[in-house]
Amino acid sequence: MAEQTSEVLEHQISELQRQLAAQRVEKGADTSAPYERVEVHAVVGEQIQQAMPSYQIPVPAPSDGSSVPSWQDPALAGSVQGLVNVAFTQSLQQAINQAVKTENAALIDAFHDLLVDQLHQELLNRQKLEPAP
C-alpha cells in the first residue's frame, strides 16, 4: 500500500511540475527557477476551477503566522484532511471532484489551502522549491 501511495504521489508531483512549467512557458518566465508557493496555489486553483467554474481562486494570504489557516477550523479539519489524503493516495482530480460535490465553499477553500501547503512542503522536500528567506 505504501509503495502504491508513493507511486501516486510521484505521479501527482510530476504532473504538478509539468503544469507549473507549462504556466511559466506561457508567461515567458524562467522554467529552471524553483517554483514559488503562489504558483502552486494558482495551478491547484485552476484545477478546482475546471471542475467548478464558479470557484473564485482566493488570493493566498501571506503565511506570517498571525492568522489561523482555514483548514484548521475544527468543523472542516477532518473532511479537509480526508480530501488531501485522497489527492495523495488516489488522485488530485478525485479529491477535487469530491470537494466540489459538497458545494461547500468554505470546505473547498480550506482543501485548496491545505493541499497547497502539503504539496508545497513536498516540493521543498524534493528540492524543487527553495525555502522562503
Side-chain angles (χ1 to χ4, degrees), residues 15-27 37-60 92-93 96-97 100 108-109 111-113 115-116 119:
E15 181 62 20
L16 179 62
Q17 287 179 271
R18 185 193 65 72
Q19 292 171 344
L20 287 164
Q23 190 176 66
R24 282 190 174 176
V25 166
E26 277 182 31
K27 294 179 180 178
R37 183 186 184 285
V38 69
E39 292 175 288
V40 176
H41 190 271
V43 166
V44 172
E46 288 170 5
Q47 290 180 338
I48 294 171
Q49 207 168 41
Q50 287 175 357
M52 184 180 175
S54 62
Y55 180 70
Q56 297 297 313
I57 301 171
V59 175
L92 177 57
Q93 195 57 54
I96 289 171
N97 291 344
V100 167
I108 295 167
D109 284 344
F111 164 65
H112 184 191
D113 289 342
L115 180 62
V116 168
L119 285 171

Side-chain angles (χ1 to χ4, degrees), residues 69-82:
S70 62
W71 51 264
Q72 287 185 350
D73 178 341
L76 301 174
S79 298
V80 170
Q81 186 60 57

